[in-house]
Amino acid sequence: SIREEVEKWSGKKYKLQNIFNRILKLLIEYSDRFISKRLLTELKDFKSQAQDEYKNKNELKKVFLSYAFEDYLYTIALFIFFKRNKIFLYIDWMHNDSLANGIDLKDSLNAVLEKSEQLLFLRSINSELNISGSQYIRPWCSWETGNFYGTDLSNKSEKFFLNLYGKLPHDNVQLHGFALLTGISSKGLDGITNW
């Protein structure tokens, strides 16, 4: 149980941030076990419904979501919110079946990045690791955000991030040039660059 794990750490000298990260990881593992047992059918139905509803999505603004898979529950809420605002939010797990290897995955993601007009990075404790004061974005998220630059020269200012944890990442060089998300409309994402 979570309580037993936390009791194992008592008396040991861990930084508060490391204890917080361990507790968060345990909570995520617990919620994943709960979801896989009780909600797997509902999630499959939701995925199928999302794919069907957006077969004819050519007229909608297209936004690519870069996220850590551990945040997939949060991505469902974002998908619904964006849908209500008439924006197509591409979330890989929802729109793409598992691929056999990394090359196929990269090809598939590149095809979607090329069609996306904007990119949103979901900055969470799962997608941006803060280890001993050094912040860096997980490799897949970093790859996605980097490849978005190369898809279309006109979209270099169309990168946004949603800040879910901690202070604003002023010292994270990877997020320089991103706008902090402040709102959305059917025209797309809005944000501030001098955050």
Side-chain angles (χ1 to χ4, degrees):
S1 76
I2 293 173
R3 178 179 287 173
E4 289 169 350
E5 287 295 322
V6 172
E7 286 173 0
K8 283 183 197 175
W9 306 331
S10 64
K12 296 181 180 176
K13 294 187 178 182
Y14 290 113
K15 289 181 180 178
L16 183 59
Q17 181 177 357
N18 291 344
I19 292 172
F20 173 78
N21 289 346
R22 285 172 180 239
I23 291 172
L24 190 61
K25 184 177 178 188
L26 285 171
L27 289 172
I28 290 167
E29 289 170 359
Y30 175 79
S31 69
D32 283 349
R33 281 196 304 270
F34 176 81
I35 287 164
S36 64
K37 285 180 184 173
R38 309 226 166 115
L39 300 177
L40 199 55
T41 303
E42 288 85 348
L43 278 176
K44 285 180 182 174
D45 290 345
F46 182 83
K47 177 180 176 177
S48 175
Q49 179 187 5
Q51 289 170 334
D52 290 343
E53 285 182 17
Y54 283 103
K55 285 198 190 312
N56 198 4
K57 59 189 176 294
N58 291 332
E59 71 284 353
L60 300 177
K61 185 85 169 178
K62 295 169 188 64
V63 176
F64 183 96
L65 182 68
S66 181
Y67 65 98
F69 183 76
E70 291 85 354
D71 294 323
Y72 65 93
L73 286 179
Y74 199 93
T75 66
I76 292 171
L78 280 175
F79 180 84
I80 293 168
F81 182 68
F82 275 60
K83 178 182 162 192
R84 287 185 179 159
N85 284 277
K86 301 192 181 340
I87 293 180
F88 172 66
L89 183 66
Y90 178 84
I91 303 171
D92 187 55
W93 75 264
M94 202 178 288
H95 299 285
N96 201 4
D97 295 322
S98 346
L99 296 168
N101 61 55
I103 293 171
D104 291 342
L105 178 58
K106 287 176 185 176
D107 288 345
S108 172
L109 291 174
N110 266 330
V112 176
L113 284 165
E114 285 176 12
K115 295 175 186 169
S116 298
E117 298 159 82
Q118 295 180 312
L119 178 137
L120 176 63
F121 171 62
L122 185 59
R123 182 180 182 256
S124 72
I125 199 157
N126 295 310
S127 61
E128 183 180 284
L129 307 176
N130 189 346
I131 300 171
S132 302
S134 297
Q135 293 176 321
Y136 71 95
I137 297 174
R138 278 194 169 184
W140 272 109
C141 293
S142 187
W143 182 88
E144 291 165 348
T145 58
N147 277 20
F148 183 71
Y149 273 135
T151 58
D152 181 356
L153 294 176
S154 67
N155 71 6
K156 290 193 184 288
S157 63
E158 296 298 322
K159 289 171 115 173
F160 299 81
F161 74 97
L162 180 57
N163 194 51
L164 294 185
Y165 89 106
K167 298 176 184 174
L168 289 175
H170 298 291
D171 55 347
N172 188 323
V173 177
Q174 287 177 293
L175 289 180
H176 289 183
F178 281 67
L180 175 63
L181 184 69
T182 57
I184 71 167
S185 70
S186 60
K187 294 178 183 177
L189 308 182
D190 294 314
I192 53 171
T193 53
N194 297 322
W195 39 269

